[in-house]
Short mmCIF file of all heavy atoms in Angstrom, two decimals:
data_model
loop_
_atom_site.label_atom_id
_atom_site.label_comp_id
_atom_site.label_asym_id
_atom_site.label_seq_id
_atom_site.Cartn_x
_atom_site.Cartn_y
_atom_site.Cartn_z
N TYR A 267 1.16 15.82 8.19
CA TYR A 267 1.27 14.52 8.76
C TYR A 267 0.39 14.35 9.95
O TYR A 267 -0.24 13.30 10.16
CB TYR A 267 2.77 14.22 9.15
CG TYR A 267 2.93 12.83 9.75
CD1 TYR A 267 2.95 11.71 8.93
CD2 TYR A 267 3.05 12.64 11.12
CE1 TYR A 267 3.09 10.44 9.45
CE2 TYR A 267 3.19 11.37 11.68
CZ TYR A 267 3.17 10.26 10.82
OH TYR A 267 3.33 9.02 11.38
N ASP A 268 0.30 15.36 10.83
CA ASP A 268 -0.58 15.28 12.04
C ASP A 268 -2.00 15.04 11.67
O ASP A 268 -2.72 14.22 12.31
CB ASP A 268 -0.42 16.55 12.94
CG ASP A 268 0.97 16.71 13.53
OD1 ASP A 268 1.67 15.69 13.64
OD2 ASP A 268 1.33 17.83 13.89
N THR A 269 -2.50 15.68 10.58
CA THR A 269 -3.85 15.47 10.12
C THR A 269 -4.01 14.06 9.65
O THR A 269 -5.04 13.39 9.97
CB THR A 269 -4.14 16.47 9.01
OG1 THR A 269 -3.96 17.77 9.44
CG2 THR A 269 -5.59 16.28 8.50
N LEU A 270 -3.08 13.56 8.83
CA LEU A 270 -3.14 12.19 8.35
C LEU A 270 -3.04 11.18 9.49
O LEU A 270 -3.79 10.18 9.49
CB LEU A 270 -2.02 11.94 7.35
CG LEU A 270 -2.09 12.74 6.06
CD1 LEU A 270 -0.82 12.56 5.26
CD2 LEU A 270 -3.30 12.29 5.22
N SER A 271 -2.19 11.40 10.44
CA SER A 271 -2.04 10.50 11.59
C SER A 271 -3.36 10.46 12.41
O SER A 271 -3.76 9.35 12.80
CB SER A 271 -0.86 10.95 12.43
OG SER A 271 -0.67 10.07 13.49
N ALA A 272 -3.96 11.60 12.65
CA ALA A 272 -5.21 11.64 13.40
C ALA A 272 -6.33 10.87 12.62
O ALA A 272 -7.10 10.11 13.28
CB ALA A 272 -5.60 13.11 13.69
N LEU A 273 -6.42 11.12 11.37
CA LEU A 273 -7.43 10.41 10.57
C LEU A 273 -7.21 8.92 10.57
O LEU A 273 -8.13 8.14 10.80
CB LEU A 273 -7.37 10.91 9.09
CG LEU A 273 -8.24 10.15 8.10
CD1 LEU A 273 -9.73 10.32 8.45
CD2 LEU A 273 -7.93 10.64 6.67
N PHE A 274 -5.92 8.51 10.43
CA PHE A 274 -5.61 7.05 10.46
C PHE A 274 -5.99 6.48 11.77
O PHE A 274 -6.64 5.41 11.83
CB PHE A 274 -4.14 6.90 10.20
CG PHE A 274 -3.76 5.45 9.95
CD1 PHE A 274 -3.73 4.94 8.66
CD2 PHE A 274 -3.37 4.62 10.98
CE1 PHE A 274 -3.40 3.62 8.42
CE2 PHE A 274 -3.03 3.31 10.80
CZ PHE A 274 -3.05 2.80 9.50
N SER A 275 -5.66 7.07 12.87
CA SER A 275 -5.92 6.57 14.21
C SER A 275 -7.46 6.43 14.45
O SER A 275 -7.93 5.42 14.95
CB SER A 275 -5.37 7.46 15.30
OG SER A 275 -3.95 7.49 15.19
N SER A 276 -8.19 7.45 14.03
CA SER A 276 -9.66 7.45 14.28
C SER A 276 -10.32 6.43 13.37
O SER A 276 -11.34 5.82 13.78
CB SER A 276 -10.26 8.82 14.06
OG SER A 276 -10.16 9.17 12.68
N THR A 277 -9.81 6.12 12.19
CA THR A 277 -10.42 5.22 11.28
C THR A 277 -10.01 3.78 11.54
O THR A 277 -10.82 2.83 11.55
CB THR A 277 -10.09 5.58 9.82
OG1 THR A 277 -10.43 6.94 9.58
CG2 THR A 277 -10.82 4.68 8.83
N GLU A 278 -8.72 3.55 11.78
CA GLU A 278 -8.16 2.20 11.88
C GLU A 278 -8.08 1.67 13.31
O GLU A 278 -7.85 0.50 13.55
CB GLU A 278 -6.76 2.16 11.27
CG GLU A 278 -6.76 2.48 9.79
CD GLU A 278 -7.50 1.39 8.97
OE1 GLU A 278 -7.14 0.17 9.07
OE2 GLU A 278 -8.44 1.77 8.22
N GLY A 279 -8.21 2.55 14.32
CA GLY A 279 -8.17 2.11 15.72
C GLY A 279 -6.74 1.80 16.21
O GLY A 279 -6.58 1.13 17.25
N ILE A 280 -5.77 2.30 15.53
CA ILE A 280 -4.35 2.10 15.89
C ILE A 280 -3.64 3.34 15.43
O ILE A 280 -3.95 3.92 14.39
CB ILE A 280 -3.77 0.82 15.22
CG1 ILE A 280 -2.33 0.60 15.67
CG2 ILE A 280 -3.84 0.87 13.76
CD1 ILE A 280 -1.73 -0.73 15.19
N THR A 281 -2.57 3.77 16.16
CA THR A 281 -1.85 4.96 15.69
C THR A 281 -1.05 4.63 14.44
O THR A 281 -0.66 3.41 14.21
CB THR A 281 -0.88 5.44 16.81
OG1 THR A 281 0.13 4.46 17.00
CG2 THR A 281 -1.57 5.78 18.10
N LEU A 282 -0.80 5.61 13.66
CA LEU A 282 -0.02 5.44 12.45
C LEU A 282 1.37 4.95 12.75
O LEU A 282 1.91 4.08 12.11
CB LEU A 282 0.00 6.70 11.58
CG LEU A 282 0.75 6.63 10.29
CD1 LEU A 282 0.34 5.49 9.41
CD2 LEU A 282 0.58 7.96 9.52
N GLU A 283 1.94 5.45 13.84
CA GLU A 283 3.29 5.03 14.23
C GLU A 283 3.33 3.57 14.55
O GLU A 283 4.22 2.83 14.16
CB GLU A 283 3.74 5.88 15.45
CG GLU A 283 4.01 7.31 15.15
CD GLU A 283 2.75 8.16 14.94
OE1 GLU A 283 1.61 7.76 15.40
OE2 GLU A 283 2.83 9.23 14.38
N LYS A 284 2.34 3.07 15.34
CA LYS A 284 2.27 1.62 15.63
C LYS A 284 2.04 0.81 14.40
O LYS A 284 2.57 -0.30 14.25
CB LYS A 284 1.21 1.33 16.70
CG LYS A 284 1.73 1.65 18.09
CD LYS A 284 0.87 1.05 19.15
CE LYS A 284 1.46 1.35 20.50
NZ LYS A 284 0.68 0.87 21.60
N TYR A 285 1.21 1.29 13.50
CA TYR A 285 0.95 0.56 12.21
C TYR A 285 2.27 0.41 11.45
O TYR A 285 2.56 -0.67 10.95
CB TYR A 285 -0.08 1.30 11.37
CG TYR A 285 -0.30 0.67 10.04
CD1 TYR A 285 -1.15 -0.47 9.96
CD2 TYR A 285 0.27 1.10 8.90
CE1 TYR A 285 -1.34 -1.10 8.72
CE2 TYR A 285 0.08 0.51 7.68
CZ TYR A 285 -0.75 -0.61 7.61
OH TYR A 285 -0.96 -1.24 6.41
N ILE A 286 3.09 1.49 11.37
CA ILE A 286 4.37 1.39 10.66
C ILE A 286 5.26 0.39 11.36
O ILE A 286 5.88 -0.43 10.70
CB ILE A 286 5.03 2.80 10.61
CG1 ILE A 286 4.20 3.72 9.71
CG2 ILE A 286 6.48 2.71 10.11
CD1 ILE A 286 4.57 5.20 9.83
N ILE A 287 5.31 0.40 12.68
CA ILE A 287 6.11 -0.61 13.43
C ILE A 287 5.65 -2.02 13.09
O ILE A 287 6.48 -2.86 12.82
CB ILE A 287 6.09 -0.28 14.95
CG1 ILE A 287 6.83 1.00 15.25
CG2 ILE A 287 6.68 -1.47 15.71
CD1 ILE A 287 6.61 1.50 16.70
N PHE A 288 4.34 -2.24 13.18
CA PHE A 288 3.81 -3.58 12.89
C PHE A 288 4.16 -4.03 11.51
O PHE A 288 4.53 -5.16 11.24
CB PHE A 288 2.32 -3.66 13.13
CG PHE A 288 1.93 -3.55 14.57
CD1 PHE A 288 0.83 -2.83 14.96
CD2 PHE A 288 2.66 -4.23 15.58
CE1 PHE A 288 0.44 -2.77 16.31
CE2 PHE A 288 2.25 -4.19 16.89
CZ PHE A 288 1.13 -3.44 17.29
N ARG A 289 4.05 -3.17 10.49
CA ARG A 289 4.31 -3.52 9.12
C ARG A 289 5.78 -3.79 8.91
O ARG A 289 6.18 -4.75 8.22
CB ARG A 289 3.88 -2.44 8.15
CG ARG A 289 2.37 -2.22 8.10
CD ARG A 289 1.53 -3.43 7.76
NE ARG A 289 2.04 -4.09 6.59
CZ ARG A 289 2.01 -5.42 6.42
NH1 ARG A 289 1.57 -6.21 7.31
NH2 ARG A 289 2.53 -5.92 5.29
N LYS A 290 6.67 -3.00 9.59
CA LYS A 290 8.09 -3.24 9.50
C LYS A 290 8.44 -4.59 10.13
O LYS A 290 9.25 -5.38 9.60
CB LYS A 290 8.87 -2.09 10.16
CG LYS A 290 8.94 -0.83 9.36
CD LYS A 290 9.63 0.27 10.07
CE LYS A 290 11.13 0.02 10.17
NZ LYS A 290 11.87 1.15 10.76
N LEU A 291 7.83 -4.88 11.27
CA LEU A 291 8.13 -6.14 11.93
C LEU A 291 7.55 -7.34 11.16
O LEU A 291 8.18 -8.41 11.19
CB LEU A 291 7.57 -6.12 13.38
CG LEU A 291 8.30 -5.19 14.33
CD1 LEU A 291 7.62 -5.12 15.70
CD2 LEU A 291 9.73 -5.57 14.46
N GLU A 292 6.47 -7.15 10.45
CA GLU A 292 6.01 -8.23 9.57
C GLU A 292 7.02 -8.52 8.52
O GLU A 292 7.30 -9.69 8.20
CB GLU A 292 4.68 -7.85 8.88
CG GLU A 292 3.50 -8.04 9.78
CD GLU A 292 3.28 -9.46 10.26
OE1 GLU A 292 3.31 -10.40 9.44
OE2 GLU A 292 3.10 -9.64 11.47
N ARG A 293 7.63 -7.51 7.94
CA ARG A 293 8.63 -7.68 6.91
C ARG A 293 9.90 -8.36 7.57
O ARG A 293 10.50 -9.27 6.96
CB ARG A 293 9.04 -6.36 6.31
CG ARG A 293 10.02 -6.47 5.17
CD ARG A 293 9.38 -7.16 3.91
NE ARG A 293 8.24 -6.47 3.41
CZ ARG A 293 8.31 -5.50 2.47
NH1 ARG A 293 9.43 -5.19 1.91
NH2 ARG A 293 7.23 -4.91 2.11
N VAL A 294 10.29 -7.96 8.81
CA VAL A 294 11.41 -8.60 9.51
C VAL A 294 11.13 -10.05 9.68
O VAL A 294 12.03 -10.88 9.43
CB VAL A 294 11.63 -7.86 10.83
CG1 VAL A 294 12.65 -8.65 11.70
CG2 VAL A 294 12.17 -6.48 10.62
N LYS A 295 9.92 -10.41 10.08
CA LYS A 295 9.57 -11.81 10.33
C LYS A 295 9.71 -12.59 9.02
O LYS A 295 10.24 -13.71 8.97
CB LYS A 295 8.14 -11.95 10.86
CG LYS A 295 8.04 -11.46 12.29
CD LYS A 295 6.68 -11.61 13.00
CE LYS A 295 5.47 -11.70 12.19
NZ LYS A 295 4.24 -11.62 12.95
N GLN A 296 9.23 -11.98 7.89
CA GLN A 296 9.38 -12.66 6.61
C GLN A 296 10.83 -12.91 6.22
O GLN A 296 11.18 -13.95 5.77
CB GLN A 296 8.67 -11.79 5.52
CG GLN A 296 7.17 -11.78 5.59
CD GLN A 296 6.55 -10.83 4.61
OE1 GLN A 296 7.26 -10.12 3.89
NE2 GLN A 296 5.25 -10.78 4.55
N LEU A 297 11.63 -11.88 6.48
CA LEU A 297 13.07 -12.01 6.16
C LEU A 297 13.74 -13.06 7.00
O LEU A 297 14.59 -13.84 6.52
CB LEU A 297 13.79 -10.66 6.33
CG LEU A 297 13.39 -9.59 5.32
CD1 LEU A 297 13.97 -8.23 5.73
CD2 LEU A 297 13.83 -9.96 3.93
N LEU A 298 13.34 -13.18 8.31
CA LEU A 298 13.94 -14.20 9.18
C LEU A 298 13.50 -15.58 8.75
O LEU A 298 14.29 -16.53 8.80
CB LEU A 298 13.48 -13.92 10.64
CG LEU A 298 14.17 -12.82 11.33
CD1 LEU A 298 13.48 -12.53 12.66
CD2 LEU A 298 15.65 -13.08 11.58
N ILE A 299 12.25 -15.75 8.28
CA ILE A 299 11.74 -17.04 7.92
C ILE A 299 12.17 -17.48 6.52
O ILE A 299 12.52 -18.59 6.28
CB ILE A 299 10.21 -17.08 8.08
CG1 ILE A 299 9.81 -16.95 9.54
CG2 ILE A 299 9.61 -18.39 7.46
CD1 ILE A 299 8.34 -16.79 9.79
N TYR A 300 12.15 -16.56 5.54
CA TYR A 300 12.29 -16.87 4.18
C TYR A 300 13.64 -16.52 3.55
O TYR A 300 13.83 -16.77 2.40
CB TYR A 300 11.22 -16.23 3.33
CG TYR A 300 9.83 -16.71 3.69
CD1 TYR A 300 8.90 -15.86 4.35
CD2 TYR A 300 9.42 -18.02 3.49
CE1 TYR A 300 7.67 -16.31 4.72
CE2 TYR A 300 8.16 -18.47 3.85
CZ TYR A 300 7.29 -17.62 4.45
OH TYR A 300 6.07 -18.05 4.87
N THR A 301 14.54 -15.99 4.38
CA THR A 301 15.92 -15.76 3.85
C THR A 301 16.94 -16.26 4.85
O THR A 301 16.56 -16.63 5.98
CB THR A 301 16.20 -14.24 3.61
OG1 THR A 301 16.33 -13.54 4.89
CG2 THR A 301 15.09 -13.61 2.77
N GLU A 302 18.15 -16.22 4.49
CA GLU A 302 19.17 -16.62 5.43
C GLU A 302 19.88 -15.41 6.03
O GLU A 302 20.96 -15.54 6.63
CB GLU A 302 20.21 -17.52 4.71
CG GLU A 302 19.60 -18.87 4.32
CD GLU A 302 20.57 -19.78 3.68
OE1 GLU A 302 21.81 -19.51 3.66
OE2 GLU A 302 20.13 -20.83 3.13
N MET A 303 19.30 -14.25 5.99
CA MET A 303 19.84 -13.06 6.52
C MET A 303 19.86 -13.14 8.07
O MET A 303 18.93 -13.67 8.71
CB MET A 303 19.03 -11.82 6.15
CG MET A 303 19.09 -11.46 4.68
SD MET A 303 17.96 -10.09 4.25
CE MET A 303 18.88 -8.76 4.91
N SER A 304 20.93 -12.64 8.62
CA SER A 304 21.03 -12.59 10.10
C SER A 304 20.23 -11.38 10.61
O SER A 304 19.87 -10.49 9.84
CB SER A 304 22.47 -12.48 10.54
OG SER A 304 23.00 -11.16 10.21
N LEU A 305 19.94 -11.39 11.91
CA LEU A 305 19.23 -10.28 12.49
C LEU A 305 19.99 -8.97 12.31
O LEU A 305 19.41 -7.93 12.08
CB LEU A 305 18.92 -10.56 13.93
CG LEU A 305 17.93 -9.60 14.57
CD1 LEU A 305 16.55 -9.61 13.88
CD2 LEU A 305 17.77 -9.87 16.08
N THR A 306 21.30 -9.07 12.39
CA THR A 306 22.18 -7.84 12.22
C THR A 306 22.02 -7.33 10.79
O THR A 306 21.84 -6.09 10.56
CB THR A 306 23.64 -8.19 12.47
OG1 THR A 306 23.72 -8.63 13.84
CG2 THR A 306 24.51 -6.98 12.35
N GLU A 307 22.03 -8.24 9.80
CA GLU A 307 21.88 -7.80 8.41
C GLU A 307 20.50 -7.20 8.14
O GLU A 307 20.32 -6.20 7.45
CB GLU A 307 22.07 -9.03 7.43
CG GLU A 307 23.47 -9.50 7.43
CD GLU A 307 23.59 -10.86 6.70
OE1 GLU A 307 22.68 -11.71 6.89
OE2 GLU A 307 24.62 -11.05 5.98
N ILE A 308 19.48 -7.82 8.75
CA ILE A 308 18.10 -7.34 8.61
C ILE A 308 17.99 -5.97 9.25
O ILE A 308 17.34 -5.03 8.73
CB ILE A 308 17.09 -8.33 9.21
CG1 ILE A 308 17.10 -9.63 8.33
CG2 ILE A 308 15.70 -7.77 9.24
CD1 ILE A 308 16.29 -10.77 8.95
N ALA A 309 18.54 -5.81 10.47
CA ALA A 309 18.46 -4.51 11.16
C ALA A 309 19.09 -3.44 10.28
O ALA A 309 18.52 -2.33 10.18
CB ALA A 309 19.21 -4.58 12.50
N TYR A 310 20.23 -3.70 9.72
CA TYR A 310 20.89 -2.69 8.85
C TYR A 310 20.02 -2.41 7.63
O TYR A 310 19.74 -1.28 7.26
CB TYR A 310 22.26 -3.25 8.39
CG TYR A 310 22.92 -2.33 7.34
CD1 TYR A 310 23.43 -1.12 7.72
CD2 TYR A 310 22.87 -2.71 6.01
CE1 TYR A 310 24.02 -0.29 6.74
CE2 TYR A 310 23.43 -1.85 5.03
CZ TYR A 310 23.98 -0.66 5.41
OH TYR A 310 24.54 0.15 4.47
N ALA A 311 19.52 -3.51 6.99
CA ALA A 311 18.73 -3.32 5.73
C ALA A 311 17.41 -2.60 5.99
O ALA A 311 16.94 -1.84 5.15
CB ALA A 311 18.42 -4.69 5.11
N MET A 312 16.87 -2.76 7.18
CA MET A 312 15.58 -2.14 7.53
C MET A 312 15.72 -0.79 8.15
O MET A 312 14.70 -0.13 8.50
CB MET A 312 14.75 -3.01 8.38
CG MET A 312 14.26 -4.35 7.74
SD MET A 312 13.06 -4.04 6.41
CE MET A 312 11.70 -3.46 7.36
#
Side-chain angles (χ1 to χ4, degrees):
Y267 182 78
D268 292 340
T269 303
L270 293 170
S271 183
L273 173 65
F274 190 90
S275 297
S276 67
T277 305
E278 296 295 304
I280 183 174
T281 66
L282 181 50
E283 291 76 17
K284 279 195 177 178
Y285 177 79
I286 293 167
I287 291 169
F288 288 141
R289 295 305 309 146
K290 286 177 70 175
L291 290 175
E292 279 302 310
R293 187 67 61 92
V294 168
K295 290 183 334 189
Q296 289 173 357
L297 292 170
L298 286 169
I299 293 171
Y300 298 110
T301 72
E302 293 184 9
M303 293 174 74
S304 69
L305 191 61
T306 302
E307 292 169 322
I308 293 170
Y310 172 76
M312 292 294 292

